[in-house]
Amino acid sequence: MTAHETTLCTLFAEVLGLPRVHPGQSFTGLGGDSIQAIQVVSRARLAGLVVTTREVLRSESVSALAAAARTDDRTRDRSGPVTPPRRFGPLAATPIMEWLGELDGPVDTYNQSLVVRTPAGFDAPAAERLVQALLDTHDVLRLRLPEGLAAPVPAARIPEPGTVSAAALVACVDARFATDEELPALMRGHMRAARALLSPREGTMLRAVLLDRGADRQGRLALVVHHLAVDGVSWRILQDDLRTCWAALASGAAPAPDPVHTPFAHWADLLRAEATSGRRMAEAARWDDVLRPAPAPLAGVRAPGPLDPETARNTHVLTLPPEFTGPLLTAAPGLVNGTVNDVLLTGLALAVLNWRRDGDGDGPPGTDPAGGRVLVDVEGHGREDVVDGLDLSRTVGWFTTVYPVRLDLGPTDPADARAAGPALGAALRRVKEDLRAVPDKGIGFGLLRHLNSHTGPGLARRGIPEIGFNYLGRFPMGDDRAWSAAPGHAFALDDADEGLPMAHAVEVNAAAHEGPDGLTLNATWTWAGNAYPGTRVRALAEEWFAMLRALARYTAKPGAAALTPSDVSLADISQADLDSFESQLGELL
């Protein structure tokens, strides 16, 4: 193997939790998703290699990616002055910040959290030093909104490093006498107290809780961060920083995280400029058409209006076991050169069709008044390559995009799909193509909807998709090493303020967990009580998992893999043409 291949094989194995990776294997073929690809990009940069997220996801093998990798040239001399990107001062509101403000509810303690194992002997002074390093490195953790989200854009500010002290933000709890079984409940109680102390108005975006168990046992460290400053990708960055900072501190050095190449404030400025660019304005008609009302309940468009807040009562959690999750998240995307989102959204669209055919549509049971069309608001990680030269692999912040996708399955037999028949493969190919047609993974919708005064009002009047979908990626669980996620705690799930209205009538948040027994898919369904009865949402959730089990079975069928039009360079070829060609080729062989 070449030096580049060796480095990338090691990084793939680290990120994907595999014992080894061979040069002929591909990232997506091993089950990697776009969020994990960002981790590869970040760690490759630290190893002196430059690759993009797109290259990681699209390269057919490690060898191909290694051939495309560039040596990091940041240390080379450059002619002429270089203006550093802006880090401090006023922060331009991003689309997701505007989105949150439109929910018109309490958001002072809206947060995500992470609980990790700490090394034996890790104490309060060490915790303060590590948290201070995070605060000084990642600017948005010092964000201040003195007048809240409703304030004018210049009111949001990022002060310089050193202006926020970790000493006042870290709570240390003596947990020397607590058992392993008692730790989760003990930590949750202290995290509730930490959550209540968050305050964007006062610049308190982060609180930390250390359960100190002495010199001989692992403790626990919780980071509770306001959602305005963190997202699912950010947690992976912060977790890596905790590891590297502790390694430095343990060796007697200062805990200094690796540098951030593109500051969040600079990114926010670029989004403001991009929102009125010609290429984004050209998308406006497309998004307007996507949001045209569909004549069917659920997965259509609902009129703007208040929804009930999320409650534990209106929550349904399902877990797909390893025997289905493994092939679903690794083999199924490869059938169409696709992604995990292609697979999960195919199952969701088919489940909605069956749900509507049960008699909840405008027509009689067995028919679909929407003609096989399903509208879904999809969340993405938002770290898209909209401007050349950016590197967001080390930037902490809330980058999430929310954009509508109309999935057109056409005349479909859901019963055949549920039985893992040909209809399932046809649906998977159509959904993949619908998602590939979305420009720049949907980042333009939020720009036009929230940052463009010409296009925003018209898109707002179109309404909001009834159902929201978010796949958070894969998370390693059950690892007992220091700085790994601690058992008994959720990872990167939103914790909303009491009384905050839901954004969608029904929301699905899914994540894959890699535990000692294998890979599982965990899905949390929530719904507004004034939108749909719980019995109907639970029925939809169960139908979704039925379709996902069918997709897992479908991966083992001969001839399940197939090309789609976006896989070939011929501009006018259709899916029917490709299917016919592959059928004829199969007969010849």
Side-chain angles (χ1 to χ4, degrees):
M1 287 193 293
T2 67
H4 286 185
E5 287 175 339
T6 300
T7 298
L8 291 170
C9 282
T10 300
L11 294 180
F12 277 27
E14 288 177 359
V15 170
L16 297 175
L18 299 173
R20 66 184 59 84
V21 170
H22 302 292
Q25 295 177 296
S26 71
F27 189 72
T28 53
L30 293 167
D33 56 45
S34 60
I35 295 177
Q36 291 173 308
I38 294 173
Q39 285 183 280
V40 170
V41 171
S42 176
R43 297 184 187 189
R45 173 78 73 169
L46 299 180
L49 294 182
V50 178
V51 292
T52 67
T53 303
R54 183 172 301 181
E55 288 170 338
V56 173
L57 292 171
R58 294 189 176 182
S59 292
E60 296 181 354
S61 64
V62 173
S63 296
L65 180 62
R70 285 80 63 199
T71 302
D72 190 344
D73 64 353
R74 284 175 294 155
T75 58
R76 296 180 186 174
D77 292 334
R78 292 181 174 90
S79 59
V82 177
T83 303
R86 189 173 70 84
R87 292 182 59 189
F88 320 122
L91 177 70
T94 61
I96 197 65
M97 292 173 68
E98 298 281 4
W99 173 89
L100 180 61
E102 284 189 3
L103 293 183
D104 195 24
V107 294
D108 284 348
T109 61
Y110 185 33
N111 74 93
Q112 291 187 336
S113 60
L114 168 68
V115 182
V116 295
R117 301 172 182 266
T118 58
F122 185 78
D123 56 13
E128 289 181 12
R129 293 193 68 182
L130 262 63
V131 171
Q132 190 66 58
L134 298 182
L135 288 166
D136 292 344
T137 300
H138 300 294
D139 305 323
V140 76
L141 296 179
R142 306 187 303 274
L143 176 64
R144 186 182 181 93
L145 285 84
E147 298 176 40
L149 279 176
V153 171
R157 299 188 65 83
I158 295 179
E160 296 188 6
T163 56
V164 178
S165 172
L169 304 178
V170 180
C172 184
V173 179
D174 185 349
R176 287 175 295 175
F177 303 105
T179 65
D180 288 348
E181 293 74 22
E182 294 170 335
L183 286 182
L186 178 63
M187 177 60 90
R188 283 193 290 270
H190 287 281
M191 288 174 68
R192 284 193 293 270
R195 174 188 189 271
L197 295 173
L198 293 176
S199 175
R201 289 177 171 81
E202 297 176 1
T204 305
M205 304 299 290
L206 176 152
R207 301 288 302 192
V209 178
L210 171 66
L211 299 187
D212 187 348
R213 303 182 78 198
D216 301 321
R217 291 190 298 170
Q218 285 184 335
R220 300 289 186 267
L221 178 68
L223 297 179
V224 181
V225 182
H226 198 284
H227 201 350
L228 287 170
V230 77
D231 58 14
V233 176
S234 297
W235 283 119
R236 291 164 167 86
I237 297 170
L238 294 173
Q239 199 172 6
D240 281 348
D241 283 354
L242 288 172
R243 292 189 181 97
T244 57
C245 285
W246 171 247
L249 192 62
S251 67
D258 296 298
V260 175
H261 310 293
T262 301
F264 190 80
H266 180 63
W267 170 251
D269 290 342
L270 292 175
L271 291 183
R272 283 276 161 180
E274 180 71 10
T276 55
S277 67
R279 64 173 171 174
R280 295 305 161 201
M281 294 291 288
E283 294 178 15
R286 180 193 186 282
W287 294 116
D288 185 77
D289 186 63
V290 168
L291 284 170
R292 291 186 183 278
L298 191 64
V301 177
R302 72 169 183 86
L307 289 170
D308 284 349
E310 179 180 320
T311 66
R313 182 179 65 257
N314 293 340
T315 300
H316 185 54
V317 180
L318 292 174
T319 299
L320 194 68
E323 60 265 30
F324 295 108
T325 302
L328 182 77
L329 300 187
T330 56
L335 296 179
V336 291
N337 296 317
T339 67
V340 172
N341 258 18
D342 298 338
V343 175
L344 298 181
L345 284 168
T346 297
L348 182 60
L350 287 166
V352 169
L353 296 189
N354 256 3
W355 187 91
R356 290 200 294 228
R357 283 181 167 92
D358 283 343
D360 285 271
D362 293 336
T367 65
D368 180 28
R373 293 184 297 275
V374 175
L375 182 69
V376 181
D377 240 0
V378 176
E379 287 195 28
H381 59 68
R383 296 165 192 252
E384 310 303 342
D385 299 326
V386 296
V387 178
D388 291 338
L390 293 183
D391 180 359
L392 297 168
S393 63
R394 287 276 307 142
T395 310
V396 167
W398 194 12
F399 286 83
T400 299
T401 51
V402 182
Y403 57 96
V405 176
R406 192 175 294 279
L407 305 173
D408 187 359
L409 274 62
T412 301
D413 183 353
D416 181 71
R418 210 172 194 266
L424 191 60
L428 179 58
R429 293 191 291 273
R430 294 190 71 154
V431 167
K432 176 205 168 179
E433 288 301 292
D434 285 340
L435 292 174
R436 290 303 171 280
V438 177
D440 291 329
K441 297 182 181 178
I443 194 171
F445 177 78
L447 297 175
L448 294 168
R449 169 67 176 79
H450 297 290
L451 303 187
N452 188 313
S453 60
H454 297 288
T455 57
L459 290 174
R461 285 192 294 270
R462 282 294 184 194
I464 301 167
E466 290 185 278
I467 189 168
F469 172 82
N470 183 21
Y471 174 61
L472 294 160
R474 290 169 66 167
F475 299 95
M477 307 295 287
D479 187 344
D480 60 3
R481 293 175 296 178
W483 310 116
S484 62
H489 302 278
F491 193 122
L493 287 181
D494 296 0
D495 180 20
D497 295 62
E498 185 176 347
L500 179 67
M502 289 190 62
H504 306 91
V506 177
E507 296 182 350
V508 191
N509 285 281
H513 292 159
E514 299 176 76
D517 297 326
L519 191 64
T520 61
L521 181 71
N522 296 281
T524 301
W525 288 74
T526 54
W527 61 94
N530 61 340
Y532 285 99
T535 54
R536 293 301 299 141
V537 179
R538 293 187 188 94
L540 177 59
E542 299 290 346
E543 184 64 22
W544 183 45
F545 264 30
M547 289 298 181
L548 295 185
R549 288 191 291 269
L551 278 160
R553 296 194 303 272
Y554 185 75
T555 62
K557 293 206 166 188
L563 294 173
T564 66
S566 63
D567 293 323
V568 298
S569 57
L570 299 175
D572 296 326
I573 197 167
S574 68
Q575 185 65 60
D577 293 333
L578 279 174
D579 293 344
S580 175
F581 174 74
E582 289 187 322
S583 175
Q584 294 173 29
L585 183 62
E587 291 175 1
L588 291 174
L589 296 176

